Amino acid sequence: VGVEICIRDRLECWWVFFFSSRRRHTRCSGVSWARRCVQETDIMSGMPGGISQSKPADENVQNLVNQVRQQVEQTQNSNFATFNAHSYTSQIVAGVLYRVKVDVGNDQYLHFEIWVKPSQEIEVDNIEVGKTLEDQL
């Protein structure tokens, strides 16, 4: 039994079928939401379900953080001076689960999860306050 995921590299999109010790690649055609491509950096050692190493936040992660800012501020009853993604991990689940460290000013950070479902719906959960730059995700 293999697991099928799609990896997007710089030029093309390939389906990767993972078997015990073999990989078979086929070119994507007509990617649907159920079989959507993810960035290669969202894959941890080719293992679906594995959590990536912590990485500096990129434009994609900052865009996700911007989308959930209002929801996080409402949940925390706060208006944060800044809301800048610092770092993140990712995990391929039913969609992609991001765990994000966000700089909210005054040397304070939040940790929270952003789940991007296959339908592209975004959900935020597990908001942790009072974190510092040194706290691990």
Side-chain angles (χ1 to χ4, degrees):
V1 175
V3 176
E4 181 180 29
I5 59 173
C6 186
I7 299 175
R8 180 179 301 281
D9 65 18
R10 282 181 232 131
L11 302 174
E12 296 181 354
C13 184
W14 296 85
W15 290 113
V16 180
F17 299 87
F18 291 95
F19 295 92
S20 56
S21 62
R22 295 177 290 140
R23 292 171 97 172
R24 185 179 79 213
H25 297 73
T26 57
R27 184 114 189 259
C28 294
S29 61
V31 176
S32 67
W33 291 120
R35 300 171 78 187
R36 77 182 180 87
C37 290
V38 294
Q39 294 297 319
E40 186 173 12
T41 56
D42 290 334
I43 309 296
M44 172 61 177
S45 303
M47 297 292 294
I51 300 172
S52 72
Q53 297 284 333
S54 182
K55 302 173 275 251
D58 56 21
E59 183 179 347
N60 178 55
V61 172
Q62 184 62 53
N63 288 337
L64 289 171
V65 166
N66 292 343
Q67 290 178 54
V68 300
R69 179 178 183 160
Q70 184 177 10
Q71 184 179 353
V72 171
E73 287 181 333
Q74 286 175 347
T75 303
Q76 300 303 308
N77 279 335
S78 290
N79 288 319
F80 299 110
T82 63
F83 209 73
N84 298 318
H86 177 270
S87 56
Y88 74 102
T89 63
S90 59
Q91 179 180 14
I92 303 300
V93 290
V96 181
L97 181 66
Y98 295 91
R99 181 133 173 88
V100 185
K101 178 187 294 259
V102 175
D103 178 357
V104 294
N106 299 322
D107 293 323
Q108 294 187 9
Y109 292 80
L110 298 178
H111 290 180
F112 55 85
E113 294 174 347
I114 301 173
W115 180 24
V116 181
K117 298 178 182 182
S119 65
Q120 297 303 293
E121 179 183 349
I122 297 174
E123 197 172 291
V124 64
D125 199 11
N126 296 325
I127 301 169
E128 299 176 16
V129 297
K131 296 296 183 176
T132 66
L133 181 60
E134 292 77 27
D135 290 330
Q136 291 187 356
L137 280 171

